[in-house]
Amino acid sequence: MSLQPKTFEETEAFYKQYQGPFDKPLFTAFDKVMKDRDLIKKDEKKYEYRCGNAFGIYHDDPDVVKDQDKLRAEIGFLFDTKALSDEERKELVKEYGKKGYSYAKFRNTRTYYENFPIRSPIVLSFLIGGKKFYPLVKQKLKDENVLSKLEGSEYGFVETYTDSEINFFAPTENFEDFYLTSHPTPEPK
């Protein structure tokens, strides 16, 4: 696995906050989000937007957090509403807000990027991909003093998911776009 500079393209998202272990409960929460995404995709013609891939933003390293139930993430799906008027977009955000989703808009952002194939069993792809990407990118961010620009743990690693791969992004700018959590920083071990 080798890191590549890549722009995380400007996009919009519906998401839900998640707090808990990054294992089975997270997969269960993602399953619910994906079912909602499938329902929302049926509304595409009504609103003339494109519902995209699922995504997650992860704030904490499970290896250094004392209580795994305090790990923080946002999970949801990306979408494109460029064809909508401001009023239609507001209506869409309000409608999905009633379903428990928050809205975010991400700017074009420079990142370090890598992808990893999804194979069966799927869970292993997530574990192996993460074990390869995160140590490598954390060292790169440390070597380049990227995280020194932050005051604390206001950072989010982004993953997007297609049917065939996991795309890993480590932002090197616009950190506030990817720090959506309202949960407090968990206590380290």
Side-chain angles (χ1 to χ4, degrees):
M1 187 175 265
S2 64
L3 298 174
Q4 307 159 33
K6 184 172 184 171
T7 298
F8 184 86
E9 299 290 334
E10 179 180 335
T11 191
E12 298 165 278
F14 285 129
Y15 70 92
K16 289 186 176 186
Q17 291 194 19
Y18 172 84
Q19 186 172 36
F22 288 172
D23 54 18
K24 189 174 180 176
L26 179 62
F27 296 135
T28 301
F30 254 116
D31 188 51
K32 290 177 184 173
V33 166
M34 295 312 295
K35 287 178 182 170
D36 286 346
R37 184 190 80 149
D38 291 343
L39 291 173
I40 290 168
K41 283 188 104 167
K42 292 177 183 176
D43 285 345
E44 284 184 5
K45 290 183 181 168
K46 174 181 174 185
Y47 288 108
E48 296 183 32
Y49 68 93
R50 185 181 57 79
C51 190
N53 297 325
F55 79 98
I57 301 176
Y58 302 95
H59 303 289
D60 306 306
D61 182 344
D63 294 333
V64 299
V65 170
K66 187 176 188 177
D67 183 352
Q68 300 295 293
D69 289 333
K70 301 291 184 186
L71 296 172
R72 301 165 302 154
E74 286 80 41
I75 58 175
F77 46 90
L78 305 172
F79 66 101
D80 178 4
T81 66
K82 290 179 183 140
L84 298 182
S85 69
D86 288 344
E87 192 59 40
E88 289 170 322
R89 183 178 293 104
K90 286 178 186 175
E91 181 184 330
L92 182 69
V93 169
K94 182 178 177 181
E95 184 175 330
Y96 292 108
K98 291 176 186 175
K99 297 177 183 182
Y101 286 90
S102 296
Y103 167 83
K105 185 170 185 174
F106 303 116
R107 295 175 280 177
N108 281 337
T109 300
R110 290 187 308 260
T111 70
Y112 287 115
Y113 165 84
E114 189 53 82
N115 65 1
F116 193 79
I118 294 178
R119 298 210 169 82
S120 187
I122 293 173
V123 172
L124 285 179
S125 295
F126 287 92
L127 294 174
I128 294 169
K131 292 290 183 192
K132 288 184 173 200
F133 175 76
Y134 287 109
L136 188 65
V137 77
K138 285 179 183 177
Q139 187 61 49
K140 181 84 165 170
L141 294 172
K142 182 179 177 185
D143 291 348
E144 295 186 5
N145 291 319
V146 171
L147 300 181
S148 65
K149 300 172 191 171
L150 301 173
E151 293 187 18
S153 62
E154 303 94 11
Y155 192 81
F157 290 100
V158 182
E159 296 179 10
T160 64
Y161 313 104
T162 69
D163 291 337
S164 62
E165 65 185 13
I166 306 163
N167 298 290
F168 295 96
F169 297 90
T172 60
E173 63 180 356
N174 301 331
F175 304 116
E176 64 279 2
D177 286 9
F178 303 96
Y179 192 74
L180 305 172
T181 187
S182 63
H183 298 293
T185 301
E187 183 180 346
K189 287 181 181 176

